[in-house]
Amino acid sequence: MVHDVIIVGGSYAGLSAGLQLARARRTVLVIDAGQRRNRFAATSHGFLGQDGQAPEAIAAEGRSQLMEYPSVTWVQDFVRVASAQPHGFSVHTECSGEFKAKRLILATGVVDELPAIEGLAERWGTRVFHCPYCHGYELDQGRIGVLATSALAMHHALMLPDWGATTLFTDGVFTPDAEQQAQLQRRGVSVESGRVRCIQGERADLQLHDGRVFALDGIFTMSRTRISALAQQLGCELAEGPTGPYLHTNETRQTSVAGVFACGDTSLAAGSVALAVAEGVRAGVGAHFSLISQG
Ligand code: FAD
Ligand code: MG
């Protein structure tokens, strides 16, 4: 069977794209490996109507509503290979074999590569975050650390005083110049230039190599983000974002490869649940228009 559309990634972006196509009575196959980016957090914030909900609950409700449509099929699996074929596209999964479709939507999100600091990974999503809008409010104006992974930490450091007393830990990654120092001072940010040894304790206490420990309620840092290998296999053009590459798309969310669409974190410089849902609408409609105009 050749599906109208295969959507790789069945989280917020993929579900939202699928919903538009299902409502147009198109056949849709969603293939999802179930590794949502926000699975480390207990609550999701900033998405209207779902603020404070569990990330899994939002996705599960979307999934159950989508699966009410009879033209939608779901396969829990990981797509290893995707390629263009005369009929459209073919994908090979880890466990369930090959599937074919006329159009492909990549809603594969990103993978966060975290700074290699002892105690950081196990606090990701509970005490260590990347997005102040998502998790800053819950720190109750407590003590906040910004852990630099590049000079872009300035961005975090200047924002975070709105959420609590902020210390920038430069960790030897960069040295603020005179103008940056003045900006930090204006925002009341303290700066510590020592190398970071580890994060420890019940919350997110940060220890420097010189032995000093800073009691913190939360830490903000920037991961490097990695997109799916499928994009490269298909030959999709990339754009360079502040944390890593993302898929370049046009106004219909088609990539540089005709028939391949993309939505959500994988095609944004910086994403969120709300943006993934919105971009999914555009990609779903974009793929539908493409089927109408080119069969
Ligand atoms: P994802 O939700 O990451 O889903 C991608 C899906 O594609 C996954 O299920 C994955 O397994 C699947 N997939 C990938 N490759 C393949 C493949 N080859 N084959 C099959 N399946 C594949 N945003 C907010 O708006 N509010 C918050 O409070 C918030 N908190 C966050 C907390 C943390 C710790 C992190 C890291 C992020 C948070 N975010 C938050 C951001 C949010 O998680 C993302 O913006 C959102 O998940 C993007 O949705 P998506 O559908 O594009 O990708
Ligand atoms: Mg998705």
Side-chain angles (χ1 to χ4, degrees), residues 9 11-13 32-35 37-38 45 79 108 134-135 265 272-273:
S11 178
Y12 314 108
D32 182 47
Q35 300 285 295
R37 186 184 183 190
N38 59 0
H45 293 276
V79 176
T108 40
C134 300
H135 300 288
D265 278 12
S272 74
V273 174

Side-chain angles (χ1 to χ4, degrees), residues 41 58 60 92 96 98 119 141 143 174 207 210 215 225 240 256:
I58 301 172
H92 288 264
S96 334
E98 184 186 11
Q141 298 191 295
R143 298 150 299 181
F174 84 110
Q207 189 183 51
D210 65 16
T225 52
E240 197 53 43
S256 61

Side-chain angles (χ1 to χ4, degrees), residues 183-196:
Q183 288 174 321
L184 290 164
Q185 205 167 21
R186 268 201 301 280
R187 291 286 283 156
V189 177
S190 313
V191 180
E192 288 292 337
S193 59
R195 299 301 300 262
V196 176

Side-chain angles (χ1 to χ4, degrees), residues 29-102:
L29 171 64
V30 183
I31 309 176
D32 182 47
Q35 300 285 295
R36 271 178 301 97
R37 186 184 183 190
N38 59 0
R39 65 190 182 280
F40 306 96
T43 53
S44 168
H45 293 276
F47 179 26
L48 188 68
Q50 301 282 352
D51 192 49
Q53 284 277 23
E56 167 57 20
I58 301 172
E61 188 176 7
R63 189 161 60 233
S64 83
Q65 290 179 358
L66 177 65
M67 295 317 289
E68 291 291 314
Y69 292 84
S71 67
V72 182
T73 312
W74 188 280
V75 168
Q76 167 85 26
D77 208 336
F78 184 82
V79 176
R80 281 260 167 246
V81 181
S83 58
Q85 302 286 330
H87 58 76
F89 300 92
S90 155
V91 302
H92 288 264
T93 62
E94 212 155 70
C95 311
S96 334
E98 184 186 11
F99 299 96
K100 296 173 180 183
K102 296 174 189 164

